[in-house]
Amino acid sequence: MNLRTVANDAGFEATRRFKRSLVASRPDLQPSARRKNLQDSNVPLYPCIDSQGMNVKSVAEIRREYGRIVATGGGGDESVSIEQLVTVRGRIRNYRDVSSKLIFYDLVQDGEKLQVVVNCARVGGEREEFRRISMLTRIGDVVSVTGYPGRTKAGELSIFATAHLQLLAPSLHAPPQAILDPETRFQNRHVDLMIRPEAGQILRLRSHIIQHIRDFFISRDFVEVQTPILSDTFGGAVAKPFLTEATSTYRGKQLTLRVAPELWLKRLVIGGLDRVFEIGAQFRNEGIDNTHNPEFTTCEFYQAYMGLEDIISTTEQLLSGMARRVLELKATKLKDLPEIATDFTAPFQRLEFIPTLEAAMGHKLPILHGSTEVVTLELLSLFKILSLPPPPILTIPRLLGKLSSAYLEPQCMAPTFITNHPEALSPLSKTSLVHNQRVSLRVELFVGGKELVNAYEEENSPTEQRRKFVMQAGWKDEDVIGGGEDGKGVVDEAYCQALEWGLPPTGGWGIGIDRLVMIFAGAERITEVLAFGGLRGAVNLGSGARDAKKEGEEGE
């Protein structure tokens, strides 16, 4: 067993006991020993890239240009094109010693794999020297190789090297086969991406999905904008904000990270930008679970003179087209991602909130726009009849939300629009009277039992909007709102004043991009679709890296 094999096997071991015994018996496998070995061999560890006079190509370009070509020459049964040398760079994912004179490498670059054949006869030199130089590279190293494109006897498209691999950046640690602990995995995301192709493909899928959304709206004459992330007020969603304080300009003033861009975007519609959208990060100081992270990405759009049916149709067009695009990507570039069973063929199923909920419970709801105290008591009585534990915070929106999650959302595994929500759940949408209940002109799209889209016909009456803000403040949901007495600090008076200038009849929605990627990637946790696993992958990163380094050094 040679040095490289031992080092690579060390990375594949699952137990710390083996790692400790290995480092005790083979101290030459430690990172410091690897570095010294390379220096003693006069190998430049981190050379500058020199592409002058070279025909440098990416792995993808080589596959495109030479994938269908059957060249001649090279001798034996190998088919090698000797018309032009090419240079390719990437990371060694695997290697196979066929003999002391022949080595096959799997080189990975930007998610694409290519085989490299290093043959002593083609490279030149004595067998011992060939072996010594080849032994300097290991799995995980970043290298450059120059050679001729061709096919092996087995028909594999390969680069037949004319010189030894040039080391561009050594991996001083042997890459593990897997990282089982999720927190360790995301605190060492660079290693996770290196060893799990599907992890990188999820991030590529995310990029394609965001680009599809952007192209969809741009093609419909929308203007993409960026609205403030920091301000002294927050609105657009019932959520608890992150708070900070200015230290220079507006020194001592409390500021918040935005929870949603909605109110800013509707100000732009008032100003004459009839079609606007924004893709960006939102921040809510709330819990973490499989579908929630305090920092998350949304797309929100607003269009003047757009009704609820127009919004539904637009949503179906966007997601149906996206599903087709994802299917194409999984068939070509993202082959490690699973197929999904969800059918996004329009039209989607629709359920009306109150009648469907009442049918599922077998009980009628009280008139929800009555006295807050009376409605709350009647809803609590209903919870008792249903033997359903109430939520920790006893507001009308919280109580209705709990009923919805118990009886409505389980009916929404296929793409489903829930319509006509009670007014209490939607303080920013228009309302009407349906079945003797005040309901909002709102739809939510659920997929797999989880909310994906929240859409409104926007409230554009400053008087009604102010009344709804006050109603919202009256629920005293301090855990979310953080407001003071009589709604102070909750009623966004500046927004109400902006409405006095006249917001055209407007429709729009917000879509959770992280959840959207989860659906199309077949991921069960939001951490899988975030570049660094969300907050858990970004906090205590220093200690996580030190622990990983310590374990890695023990394992080498």
Side-chain angles (χ1 to χ4, degrees), residues 389-438:
I393 298 173
L394 303 179
T395 63
I396 295 174
R398 295 274 191 154
L399 291 165
L400 290 173
K402 182 69 178 284
L403 291 174
S404 175
S405 64
Y407 292 98
L408 273 184
E409 294 168 17
Q411 301 182 47
C412 303
M413 302 311 293
T416 303
F417 287 112
I418 296 179
T419 66
N420 288 346
H421 298 65
E423 179 189 55
L425 292 174
S426 311
L428 292 169
S429 67
K430 282 183 169 296
T431 56
S432 63
L433 198 64
V434 177
H435 308 306
N436 203 32
Q437 297 272 25
R438 289 184 66 87

Short mmCIF file of all heavy atoms in Angstrom, two decimals, residues 389-438:
data_model
loop_
_atom_site.label_atom_id
_atom_site.label_comp_id
_atom_site.label_asym_id
_atom_site.label_seq_id
_atom_site.Cartn_x
_atom_site.Cartn_y
_atom_site.Cartn_z
N PRO A 389 -54.98 21.32 20.93
CA PRO A 389 -54.30 22.26 21.82
C PRO A 389 -54.14 23.62 21.15
O PRO A 389 -53.72 23.69 19.99
CB PRO A 389 -52.94 21.61 22.09
CG PRO A 389 -52.74 20.64 20.96
CD PRO A 389 -54.10 20.18 20.55
N PRO A 390 -54.48 24.72 21.83
CA PRO A 390 -54.36 26.04 21.23
C PRO A 390 -52.90 26.46 21.13
O PRO A 390 -52.04 25.91 21.81
CB PRO A 390 -55.12 26.94 22.21
CG PRO A 390 -55.04 26.23 23.52
CD PRO A 390 -55.03 24.77 23.20
N PRO A 391 -52.60 27.46 20.29
CA PRO A 391 -51.23 27.96 20.18
C PRO A 391 -50.83 28.71 21.44
O PRO A 391 -51.69 29.12 22.23
CB PRO A 391 -51.30 28.89 18.96
CG PRO A 391 -52.71 29.34 18.91
CD PRO A 391 -53.53 28.17 19.39
N PRO A 392 -49.54 28.93 21.65
CA PRO A 392 -49.09 29.61 22.87
C PRO A 392 -49.62 31.05 22.98
O PRO A 392 -49.89 31.53 24.09
CB PRO A 392 -47.57 29.60 22.75
CG PRO A 392 -47.26 28.53 21.76
CD PRO A 392 -48.41 28.47 20.84
N ILE A 393 -49.78 31.72 21.84
CA ILE A 393 -50.25 33.11 21.84
C ILE A 393 -51.68 33.13 21.30
O ILE A 393 -51.93 32.70 20.17
CB ILE A 393 -49.33 34.00 21.00
CG1 ILE A 393 -47.93 33.99 21.60
CG2 ILE A 393 -49.86 35.43 20.93
CD1 ILE A 393 -46.89 34.69 20.79
N LEU A 394 -52.62 33.63 22.10
CA LEU A 394 -54.04 33.48 21.79
C LEU A 394 -54.59 34.72 21.09
O LEU A 394 -55.43 35.44 21.62
CB LEU A 394 -54.82 33.19 23.08
CG LEU A 394 -54.35 31.96 23.87
CD1 LEU A 394 -55.17 31.78 25.14
CD2 LEU A 394 -54.44 30.70 22.99
N THR A 395 -54.12 34.94 19.87
CA THR A 395 -54.71 35.99 19.03
C THR A 395 -55.56 35.32 17.96
O THR A 395 -55.38 34.13 17.65
CB THR A 395 -53.62 36.84 18.37
OG1 THR A 395 -52.84 36.00 17.49
CG2 THR A 395 -52.70 37.47 19.40
N ILE A 396 -56.46 36.09 17.36
CA ILE A 396 -57.31 35.53 16.30
C ILE A 396 -56.48 34.97 15.15
O ILE A 396 -56.73 33.85 14.68
CB ILE A 396 -58.34 36.57 15.83
CG1 ILE A 396 -59.31 36.89 16.97
CG2 ILE A 396 -59.10 36.06 14.60
CD1 ILE A 396 -60.28 38.03 16.65
N PRO A 397 -55.47 35.72 14.64
CA PRO A 397 -54.66 35.15 13.55
C PRO A 397 -53.95 33.86 13.95
O PRO A 397 -53.87 32.93 13.15
CB PRO A 397 -53.66 36.27 13.25
CG PRO A 397 -54.32 37.52 13.69
CD PRO A 397 -55.11 37.13 14.90
N ARG A 398 -53.44 33.81 15.18
CA ARG A 398 -52.74 32.59 15.61
C ARG A 398 -53.70 31.41 15.72
O ARG A 398 -53.36 30.28 15.34
CB ARG A 398 -52.07 32.83 16.96
CG ARG A 398 -50.96 33.86 16.94
CD ARG A 398 -49.64 33.23 16.56
NE ARG A 398 -48.54 34.15 16.78
CZ ARG A 398 -47.29 33.78 17.01
NH1 ARG A 398 -46.98 32.50 17.05
NH2 ARG A 398 -46.33 34.66 17.18
N LEU A 399 -54.88 31.65 16.22
CA LEU A 399 -55.86 30.58 16.37
C LEU A 399 -56.32 30.06 15.01
O LEU A 399 -56.41 28.86 14.78
CB LEU A 399 -57.06 31.07 17.19
CG LEU A 399 -56.78 31.36 18.67
CD1 LEU A 399 -57.91 32.17 19.29
CD2 LEU A 399 -56.58 30.04 19.44
N LEU A 400 -56.60 31.00 14.08
CA LEU A 400 -57.01 30.58 12.74
C LEU A 400 -55.87 29.87 12.01
O LEU A 400 -56.08 28.90 11.28
CB LEU A 400 -57.47 31.80 11.94
CG LEU A 400 -58.78 32.44 12.38
CD1 LEU A 400 -59.03 33.74 11.61
CD2 LEU A 400 -59.96 31.48 12.18
N GLY A 401 -54.65 30.35 12.23
CA GLY A 401 -53.50 29.70 11.61
C GLY A 401 -53.33 28.27 12.08
O GLY A 401 -52.99 27.38 11.29
N LYS A 402 -53.58 28.04 13.37
CA LYS A 402 -53.46 26.68 13.91
C LYS A 402 -54.53 25.77 13.31
O LYS A 402 -54.26 24.60 12.97
CB LYS A 402 -53.60 26.74 15.44
CG LYS A 402 -53.45 25.39 16.15
CD LYS A 402 -52.02 24.87 16.06
CE LYS A 402 -51.85 23.55 16.80
NZ LYS A 402 -51.80 23.70 18.26
N LEU A 403 -55.75 26.28 13.17
CA LEU A 403 -56.81 25.48 12.55
C LEU A 403 -56.48 25.16 11.10
O LEU A 403 -56.70 24.04 10.62
CB LEU A 403 -58.14 26.23 12.64
CG LEU A 403 -58.74 26.38 14.05
CD1 LEU A 403 -59.98 27.28 14.00
CD2 LEU A 403 -59.10 25.02 14.64
N SER A 404 -55.93 26.15 10.40
CA SER A 404 -55.56 25.94 9.00
C SER A 404 -54.49 24.86 8.87
O SER A 404 -54.58 23.98 8.01
CB SER A 404 -55.06 27.25 8.39
OG SER A 404 -54.59 27.03 7.08
N SER A 405 -53.48 24.93 9.73
CA SER A 405 -52.40 23.95 9.64
C SER A 405 -52.88 22.54 9.98
O SER A 405 -52.33 21.55 9.49
CB SER A 405 -51.24 24.35 10.56
OG SER A 405 -51.64 24.33 11.91
N ALA A 406 -53.91 22.46 10.81
CA ALA A 406 -54.41 21.14 11.21
C ALA A 406 -55.39 20.54 10.21
O ALA A 406 -55.41 19.32 10.00
CB ALA A 406 -55.07 21.24 12.58
N TYR A 407 -56.20 21.40 9.57
CA TYR A 407 -57.31 20.87 8.76
C TYR A 407 -57.25 21.24 7.27
O TYR A 407 -57.78 20.49 6.44
CB TYR A 407 -58.65 21.37 9.33
CG TYR A 407 -58.97 20.78 10.67
CD1 TYR A 407 -58.70 21.48 11.85
CD2 TYR A 407 -59.53 19.51 10.80
CE1 TYR A 407 -58.98 20.94 13.10
CE2 TYR A 407 -59.82 18.97 12.02
CZ TYR A 407 -59.54 19.68 13.18
OH TYR A 407 -59.82 19.13 14.40
N LEU A 408 -56.60 22.36 6.94
CA LEU A 408 -56.57 22.79 5.54
C LEU A 408 -55.30 22.34 4.82
O LEU A 408 -55.36 21.74 3.74
CB LEU A 408 -56.68 24.31 5.44
CG LEU A 408 -58.06 24.95 5.40
CD1 LEU A 408 -57.93 26.46 5.22
CD2 LEU A 408 -58.89 24.36 4.26
N GLU A 409 -54.18 22.65 5.42
CA GLU A 409 -52.92 22.44 4.73
C GLU A 409 -52.64 20.98 4.38
O GLU A 409 -52.05 20.71 3.33
CB GLU A 409 -51.77 23.05 5.56
CG GLU A 409 -51.89 24.56 5.64
CD GLU A 409 -50.96 25.20 6.67
OE1 GLU A 409 -50.00 24.51 7.10
OE2 GLU A 409 -51.20 26.36 7.05
N PRO A 410 -53.06 20.00 5.20
CA PRO A 410 -52.86 18.61 4.79
C PRO A 410 -53.60 18.23 3.50
O PRO A 410 -53.27 17.22 2.88
CB PRO A 410 -53.40 17.82 5.99
CG PRO A 410 -53.26 18.74 7.15
CD PRO A 410 -53.56 20.09 6.60
N GLN A 411 -54.58 19.04 3.08
CA GLN A 411 -55.30 18.78 1.83
C GLN A 411 -54.57 19.36 0.62
O GLN A 411 -55.06 19.26 -0.51
CB GLN A 411 -56.70 19.38 1.90
CG GLN A 411 -57.57 18.86 3.03
CD GLN A 411 -58.97 19.47 3.00
OE1 GLN A 411 -59.61 19.51 1.94
NE2 GLN A 411 -59.44 19.93 4.14
N CYS A 412 -53.41 19.96 0.85
CA CYS A 412 -52.71 20.72 -0.20
C CYS A 412 -51.39 20.08 -0.57
O CYS A 412 -50.36 20.77 -0.65
CB CYS A 412 -52.50 22.16 0.26
SG CYS A 412 -54.01 23.03 0.71
N MET A 413 -51.36 18.79 -0.80
CA MET A 413 -50.12 18.15 -1.20
C MET A 413 -49.80 18.48 -2.66
O MET A 413 -48.68 18.84 -2.99
CB MET A 413 -50.21 16.64 -0.99
CG MET A 413 -50.50 16.25 0.46
SD MET A 413 -49.43 17.09 1.67
CE MET A 413 -47.84 16.36 1.27
N ALA A 414 -50.79 18.37 -3.55
CA ALA A 414 -50.62 18.86 -4.92
C ALA A 414 -50.71 20.38 -4.89
O ALA A 414 -51.25 20.95 -3.94
CB ALA A 414 -51.70 18.27 -5.82
N PRO A 415 -50.16 21.08 -5.90
CA PRO A 415 -50.26 22.55 -5.91
C PRO A 415 -51.72 23.00 -5.75
O PRO A 415 -52.59 22.62 -6.54
CB PRO A 415 -49.70 22.92 -7.28
CG PRO A 415 -48.74 21.82 -7.60
CD PRO A 415 -49.38 20.58 -7.05
N THR A 416 -51.99 23.77 -4.70
CA THR A 416 -53.36 24.14 -4.33
C THR A 416 -53.42 25.60 -3.91
O THR A 416 -52.63 26.04 -3.06
CB THR A 416 -53.87 23.26 -3.18
OG1 THR A 416 -53.79 21.88 -3.56
CG2 THR A 416 -55.30 23.60 -2.82
N PHE A 417 -54.37 26.35 -4.47
CA PHE A 417 -54.63 27.72 -4.03
C PHE A 417 -55.70 27.71 -2.94
O PHE A 417 -56.78 27.15 -3.14
CB PHE A 417 -55.13 28.58 -5.19
CG PHE A 417 -54.07 28.93 -6.21
CD1 PHE A 417 -54.13 28.40 -7.50
CD2 PHE A 417 -53.04 29.80 -5.89
CE1 PHE A 417 -53.17 28.74 -8.44
CE2 PHE A 417 -52.07 30.13 -6.82
CZ PHE A 417 -52.14 29.60 -8.10
N ILE A 418 -55.38 28.31 -1.80
CA ILE A 418 -56.40 28.57 -0.77
C ILE A 418 -56.86 30.01 -0.96
O ILE A 418 -56.04 30.93 -1.02
CB ILE A 418 -55.83 28.36 0.64
CG1 ILE A 418 -55.45 26.88 0.82
CG2 ILE A 418 -56.84 28.77 1.69
CD1 ILE A 418 -54.86 26.57 2.19
N THR A 419 -58.16 30.21 -1.03
CA THR A 419 -58.70 31.53 -1.34
C THR A 419 -59.61 32.03 -0.22
O THR A 419 -60.03 31.27 0.65
CB THR A 419 -59.52 31.48 -2.65
OG1 THR A 419 -60.68 30.65 -2.45
CG2 THR A 419 -58.70 30.91 -3.80
N ASN A 420 -59.91 33.32 -0.28
CA ASN A 420 -60.88 33.96 0.63
C ASN A 420 -60.55 33.72 2.10
O ASN A 420 -61.36 33.21 2.87
CB ASN A 420 -62.31 33.48 0.32
CG ASN A 420 -62.83 34.05 -0.98
OD1 ASN A 420 -62.26 34.99 -1.52
ND2 ASN A 420 -63.91 33.50 -1.49
N HIS A 421 -59.34 34.14 2.49
CA HIS A 421 -58.94 34.05 3.89
C HIS A 421 -59.72 35.05 4.74
O HIS A 421 -60.11 36.12 4.27
CB HIS A 421 -57.44 34.37 4.03
CG HIS A 421 -56.54 33.43 3.32
ND1 HIS A 421 -56.52 33.31 1.94
CD2 HIS A 421 -55.60 32.56 3.79
CE1 HIS A 421 -55.62 32.41 1.60
NE2 HIS A 421 -55.05 31.95 2.69
N PRO A 422 -59.93 34.75 6.02
CA PRO A 422 -60.53 35.74 6.92
C PRO A 422 -59.70 37.03 6.94
O PRO A 422 -58.47 37.00 6.84
CB PRO A 422 -60.49 35.04 8.29
CG PRO A 422 -60.48 33.58 7.97
CD PRO A 422 -59.70 33.45 6.71
N GLU A 423 -60.38 38.15 7.08
CA GLU A 423 -59.73 39.46 7.05
C GLU A 423 -58.60 39.56 8.08
O GLU A 423 -57.57 40.18 7.83
CB GLU A 423 -60.77 40.56 7.32
CG GLU A 423 -60.20 41.97 7.33
CD GLU A 423 -61.21 43.00 7.82
OE1 GLU A 423 -61.74 42.82 8.93
OE2 GLU A 423 -61.45 43.96 7.08
N ALA A 424 -58.79 38.94 9.23
CA ALA A 424 -57.80 39.04 10.30
C ALA A 424 -56.43 38.50 9.89
O ALA A 424 -55.41 38.89 10.47
CB ALA A 424 -58.29 38.27 11.53
N LEU A 425 -56.39 37.63 8.90
CA LEU A 425 -55.13 37.04 8.47
C LEU A 425 -54.42 37.88 7.42
O LEU A 425 -53.27 37.57 7.06
CB LEU A 425 -55.37 35.63 7.90
CG LEU A 425 -55.81 34.56 8.90
CD1 LEU A 425 -56.15 33.26 8.18
CD2 LEU A 425 -54.72 34.32 9.94
N SER A 426 -55.05 38.93 6.91
CA SER A 426 -54.51 39.64 5.76
C SER A 426 -54.71 41.14 5.87
O SER A 426 -55.54 41.72 5.16
CB SER A 426 -55.17 39.12 4.47
OG SER A 426 -55.17 37.71 4.43
N PRO A 427 -53.96 41.82 6.74
CA PRO A 427 -54.17 43.25 6.94
C PRO A 427 -53.76 44.13 5.77
O PRO A 427 -54.05 45.32 5.78
CB PRO A 427 -53.32 43.54 8.18
CG PRO A 427 -52.28 42.49 8.20
CD PRO A 427 -52.94 41.26 7.65
N LEU A 428 -53.09 43.57 4.76
CA LEU A 428 -52.63 44.39 3.64
C LEU A 428 -53.43 44.17 2.36
O LEU A 428 -53.10 44.73 1.32
CB LEU A 428 -51.15 44.12 3.36
CG LEU A 428 -50.18 44.61 4.46
CD1 LEU A 428 -48.78 44.07 4.22
CD2 LEU A 428 -50.15 46.13 4.50
N SER A 429 -54.49 43.36 2.44
CA SER A 429 -55.27 43.08 1.22
C SER A 429 -56.66 43.70 1.32
O SER A 429 -57.16 44.01 2.40
CB SER A 429 -55.39 41.57 1.01
OG SER A 429 -56.17 40.99 2.02
N LYS A 430 -57.29 43.86 0.16
CA LYS A 430 -58.67 44.31 0.12
C LYS A 430 -59.57 43.26 0.74
O LYS A 430 -59.21 42.07 0.78
CB LYS A 430 -59.10 44.57 -1.33
CG LYS A 430 -58.60 45.89 -1.91
CD LYS A 430 -59.14 46.07 -3.31
CE LYS A 430 -58.90 47.47 -3.84
NZ LYS A 430 -59.62 48.49 -3.07
N THR A 431 -60.76 43.68 1.18
CA THR A 431 -61.68 42.73 1.79
C THR A 431 -63.06 42.85 1.15
O THR A 431 -63.40 43.85 0.53
CB THR A 431 -61.81 42.96 3.30
OG1 THR A 431 -62.19 44.32 3.53
CG2 THR A 431 -60.50 42.69 4.00
N SER A 432 -63.84 41.80 1.33
CA SER A 432 -65.23 41.80 0.87
C SER A 432 -66.03 40.89 1.80
O SER A 432 -65.46 40.17 2.63
CB SER A 432 -65.33 41.31 -0.58
OG SER A 432 -64.88 39.97 -0.69
N LEU A 433 -67.34 40.92 1.67
CA LEU A 433 -68.21 40.11 2.52
C LEU A 433 -68.65 38.88 1.72
O LEU A 433 -69.30 38.99 0.68
CB LEU A 433 -69.42 40.92 2.96
CG LEU A 433 -70.20 40.39 4.18
CD1 LEU A 433 -69.33 40.41 5.43
CD2 LEU A 433 -71.46 41.22 4.40
N VAL A 434 -68.27 37.69 2.21
CA VAL A 434 -68.62 36.43 1.55
C VAL A 434 -69.11 35.47 2.64
O VAL A 434 -68.43 35.29 3.66
CB VAL A 434 -67.40 35.81 0.82
CG1 VAL A 434 -67.78 34.47 0.22
CG2 VAL A 434 -66.87 36.76 -0.24
N HIS A 435 -70.28 34.86 2.43
CA HIS A 435 -70.87 33.94 3.41
C HIS A 435 -71.00 34.62 4.78
O HIS A 435 -70.79 33.99 5.82
CB HIS A 435 -70.04 32.66 3.54
CG HIS A 435 -69.76 31.96 2.25
ND1 HIS A 435 -70.75 31.61 1.37
CD2 HIS A 435 -68.57 31.56 1.69
CE1 HIS A 435 -70.19 31.01 0.32
NE2 HIS A 435 -68.89 30.98 0.49
N ASN A 436 -71.32 35.91 4.77
CA ASN A 436 -71.50 36.69 5.99
C ASN A 436 -70.21 36.83 6.81
O ASN A 436 -70.25 37.11 8.00
CB ASN A 436 -72.60 36.10 6.87
CG ASN A 436 -73.20 37.14 7.82
OD1 ASN A 436 -73.26 38.33 7.48
ND2 ASN A 436 -73.63 36.72 9.00
N GLN A 437 -69.06 36.59 6.17
CA GLN A 437 -67.75 36.76 6.82
C GLN A 437 -66.94 37.78 6.01
O GLN A 437 -67.00 37.81 4.77
CB GLN A 437 -66.98 35.43 6.85
CG GLN A 437 -67.63 34.33 7.66
CD GLN A 437 -67.21 34.40 9.13
OE1 GLN A 437 -66.83 35.46 9.64
NE2 GLN A 437 -67.31 33.27 9.82
N ARG A 438 -66.18 38.62 6.73
CA ARG A 438 -65.28 39.54 6.05
C ARG A 438 -64.02 38.76 5.64
O ARG A 438 -63.27 38.27 6.49
CB ARG A 438 -64.91 40.71 6.96
CG ARG A 438 -66.06 41.69 7.19
CD ARG A 438 -65.61 42.88 8.02
NE ARG A 438 -64.65 43.70 7.31
CZ ARG A 438 -64.97 44.69 6.47
NH1 ARG A 438 -66.26 44.98 6.24
NH2 ARG A 438 -64.05 45.39 5.86
#
